[in-house]
Amino acid sequence: MTAPIQRSTTPPTEQFNFAAHVLKRNTMRAAKIAYIDDQGSMSFGELEDLVRRFAAALAKLGVRREERVLLLMHDCNDWPVAFLGALYAGVVPVAVNTLLTADDYAYMLMHSRAQSAIVSHALLPMLTAAKTKCNHELKSLIISGADELNGADGISMKQLLSTCDPSTTPANTGADEPGFWLYSSGSTGRPKGAVHTHGNLYWTAELYAEPILGLTENDVCFSAAKLFFAYGLGNALSFPLSVGATTVLMAERPTPDACFKRFIEHKPTVFFGAPTGYAGLLASPNLPTRAAVALRMCSSAGEALPREIGEKFTAHFGCEIIDGIGSTEMLHVFLSNRPGDVRYGTTGHAVPGYQVEIRDDAGHVLTGSDEVGDLFISGPSAALLYWANREKTNETFRGTWIKSGDKYFRDSDGYYVYAGRSDDMLKVSGQYVSPFEVESTLMQHPMVLESAVIGVDDGNGLTRAKAFVVLKDMSLANDALIDTLKTFVKSKLAPYKYPRQVEFVAELPKTATGKIQRFKLRDLEKSRSHLE
């Protein structure tokens, strides 16, 4: 076993290149496996060689420092090579969601003015369609996962890497220099391009990966959240590379069976998921036994983890789920439970290095318990701005503080408790109702898999709560069960909070990262009312 990494307590210097930083940290681990994907494994030594080759390849293709390159790739070993290779060259990778439409990618190509694109072969038709929809030319198109391109207008990433000698010197970038972009997940509308720095990746790893999660080089990390998502980027790139851990990557959707396959074959010790994913795992008839897996700890983010899911998961697997909240704008988790100090139903405490405040509508800090307000965060991993969007930038970035868009309160013991997205909060009978509180209560019923709650007009100009419910067995949906669920919620919450309407649905609209898109349910209700 190699010696532990000697960590510095000082921030990165003014000149700092994150790719060079993590490659240097793992110089003594050249033979150790860094990544395992669906096609094979890649050692830390191979990673360094390929990252430097990719940096040289971008220069060969005429992509200059600070220019953007679109990264539209399924999770595979080529992903960290492309992302880190761009950083190493001082080029700015724009990592995008792989589940969007051609119109979305056309917008992102135009918005980012990407000079090149790196795309998985399976996603090439979608990117080609996007290019036809916008008046934007790419200098080059690099295609991952294809040895032969069959006439495609591009170059194989494998062929390209084989023709370039490794770059010997990283770009002399700064810690506060734009390093990469991430688009917001779109849970509340059109995605925004958050511009992050080289230093931001460093800070999320230094403040959370080792001190909170306790990751070490002996861990095997597996993230259901994909690399294009801020949460997944930490889980499967900056975190494991900062401590020398091995990472399992999966190109396919994180269905329960797909996750179980990796649990059993690769024996990850740390799994990173989202609440909806954990609910799906627990509901699966193929849930493996505790003895069949090697999990020592799990992580959850994306939305607040319902207490019921956390308790059931721990009872089955014997390991905790460390629930936290992060954001695209802050890059990773800034408020979190701790191993050994998990209080399910809460988001724990502020991660050391971050400041967290709850403020009322007038901007005053709320210091008492059970006072619901807007969550504000200050910390070193904050994005610089939303690209070409002054209005949204000013709305979210408030000096050294970021307005998260989440409602929170502190309980009597000082633990932070999620109350819902600010845009989703309901005012019923003159009092605020948290959709998340009602949803979590519904999910305690043994027949409910998941739910989403929105406000609807009752016809008299008053707002009432409506629940969209997915059952574990949809064949059991009937009017009697609707009444049962209403009574169930009334028995656990204040009477004004129960949903006046319940509709059974086969699935809920979600982002690719598992966040429920309640605005789509609101739009559905509006369209229905217009037809009446």
Side-chain angles (χ1 to χ4, degrees):
M1 182 180 297
T2 59
I5 292 173
Q6 296 299 311
R7 311 190 75 82
S8 171
T9 57
T10 59
T13 58
E14 184 176 344
Q15 265 60 56
F16 178 78
N17 183 294
F18 182 79
H21 166 72
V22 291
L23 294 181
K24 182 178 180 181
R25 279 200 164 180
N26 293 291
T27 300
M28 302 302 293
R29 296 185 175 86
K32 187 177 186 289
I33 298 300
Y35 283 98
I36 304 169
D37 70 2
D38 301 333
Q39 306 304 317
S41 62
M42 176 172 61
S43 70
F44 279 101
E46 290 167 331
L47 174 65
E48 177 170 355
D49 177 69
L50 293 173
V51 165
R52 289 180 167 175
R53 286 178 185 272
F54 194 80
L58 290 174
K60 179 180 179 180
L61 293 171
V63 182
R64 296 172 297 181
R65 179 169 168 174
E66 299 181 10
E67 290 183 334
R68 269 83 66 190
V69 295
L70 195 79
L71 202 162
L72 175 60
M73 300 173 68
H74 289 134
D75 282 17
C76 64
N77 288 349
D78 279 350
W79 206 107
V81 169
F83 184 84
L84 292 171
L87 292 181
Y88 196 87
V91 172
V92 180
V94 180
V96 298
N97 187 333
T98 59
L99 299 174
L100 301 178
T101 66
D103 286 336
D104 292 319
Y105 297 130
Y107 166 75
M108 291 172 176
L109 283 169
M110 292 290 289
H111 184 246
S112 68
R113 297 197 295 276
Q115 297 301 297
S116 182
I118 308 104
V119 59
S120 291
H121 189 253
L123 296 169
L124 181 58
M126 185 65 75
L127 184 63
T128 301
K131 287 169 60 184
T132 65
K133 289 177 175 287
C134 65
N135 184 27
H136 180 75
E137 292 294 326
L138 294 171
K139 289 180 180 177
S140 55
L141 182 60
I142 303 168
I143 303 168
S144 166
D147 292 336
E148 296 182 9
L149 297 178
N150 299 319
D153 183 20
I155 183 170
S156 160
M157 184 167 172
K158 182 177 181 180
Q159 292 173 323
L160 181 63
L161 291 172
S162 69
T163 62
C164 294
D165 293 327
S167 175
T168 57
T169 306
N172 191 24
T173 52
D176 289 335
E177 182 174 322
F180 62 101
W181 292 18
L182 295 175
Y183 278 94
S184 63
S185 59
S187 62
T188 58
R190 194 166 202 177
K192 303 174 288 292
V195 180
H196 279 283
T197 70
H198 281 260
N200 288 357
L201 288 162
Y202 168 91
W203 282 117
T204 57
E206 289 295 305
L207 297 177
Y208 195 67
E210 188 178 33
I212 301 298
L213 297 182
L215 294 184
T216 74
E217 66 173 356
N218 299 317
D219 279 311
V220 176
C221 299
F222 173 43
S223 177
K226 300 300 184 179
L227 280 160
F228 65 76
F229 178 33
Y231 179 47
L233 184 63
N235 305 340
L237 190 139
S238 61
F239 289 7
L241 291 181
S242 291
V243 300
T246 296
T247 303
V248 176
L249 297 177
M250 178 176 72
E252 64 184 297
R253 289 178 56 248
T255 63
D257 285 345
C259 290
F260 297 155
K261 183 175 185 287
R262 275 74 184 181
F263 284 0
I264 294 169
E265 288 185 3
H266 299 301
K267 302 292 185 183
T269 57
V270 182
F271 174 66
F272 301 85
T276 52
Y278 284 110
L281 298 180
L282 290 169
S284 171
N286 299 321
L287 185 69
T289 64
R290 182 186 300 190
V293 305
L295 297 173
R296 70 168 183 84
M297 182 182 66
C298 293
S299 166
S300 180
E303 285 199 313
L305 181 74
R307 177 185 287 108
E308 185 82 357
I309 293 175
E311 291 174 347
K312 285 184 177 179
F313 194 92
T314 297
H316 182 83
F317 285 112
C319 65
E320 297 173 319
I321 300 178
I322 310 303
D323 186 31
I325 182 174
S327 67
T328 302
E329 294 77 12
M330 291 303 295
L331 191 55
H332 213 276
V333 171
F334 49 79
L335 188 63
S336 180
N337 281 274
R338 311 286 199 278
D341 182 23
V342 170
R343 183 172 295 194
Y344 288 128
T346 80
T347 323
H349 299 93
V351 172
Y354 293 90
Q355 292 178 273
V356 175
E357 291 181 352
I358 297 174
R359 302 180 186 177
D360 64 17
D361 292 342
H364 301 129
V365 178
L366 300 175
T367 58
S369 62
D370 300 324
E371 293 183 288
V372 176
D374 293 307
L375 186 71
F376 281 75
I377 316 101
S378 179
S381 63
L384 297 174
L385 75 165
Y386 297 130
W387 183 259
N389 196 332
R390 184 188 294 266
E391 179 183 358
K392 291 294 184 181
T393 295
N394 290 341
E395 183 180 315
T396 299
F397 298 86
R398 312 284 184 90
T400 61
W401 292 87
I402 281 183
K403 184 180 181 180
S404 72
D406 298 294
K407 293 285 189 181
Y408 260 84
F409 66 89
R410 275 182 302 272
D411 67 15
S412 58
D413 294 322
Y415 289 78
Y416 284 79
V417 181
Y418 180 69
R421 291 289 297 174
S422 299
D423 293 340
D424 294 330
M425 292 293 287
L426 313 178
K427 205 159 193 179
V428 178
S429 300
Q431 301 179 75
Y432 275 116
V433 174
S434 162
F436 179 74
E437 182 183 20
V438 183
E439 292 160 3
S440 298
T441 302
L442 280 165
M443 289 175 65
Q444 293 175 32
H445 192 279
M447 296 177 67
V448 175
L449 176 61
E450 55 186 1
S451 67
V453 173
I454 65 169
V456 296
D457 192 318
D458 69 352
N460 297 311
L462 298 176
T463 298
R464 295 288 182 259
K466 176 174 180 177
F468 293 83
V469 174
V470 181
L471 298 175
K472 293 176 182 176
D473 183 351
M474 291 301 294
S475 68
L476 300 178
N478 55 48
D479 290 343
L481 182 55
I482 289 177
D483 291 335
T484 298
L485 293 177
K486 289 180 180 179
T487 301
F488 180 78
V489 175
K490 278 193 227 181
S491 71
K492 293 180 175 292
L493 299 179
Y496 69 91
K497 295 182 179 181
Y498 87 93
R500 286 357 185 239
Q501 299 178 40
V502 175
E503 180 179 337
F504 296 117
V505 293
E507 60 181 358
L508 298 173
K510 297 171 186 169
T511 69
T513 55
K515 293 182 180 179
I516 296 172
Q517 294 175 307
R518 294 175 186 83
F519 75 92
K520 289 190 175 181
L521 297 174
R522 291 194 290 268
D523 290 344
L524 174 64
E525 286 298 302
K526 288 178 183 177
S527 66
R528 287 173 173 175
S529 65
H530 290 157
L531 294 174
E532 293 176 354

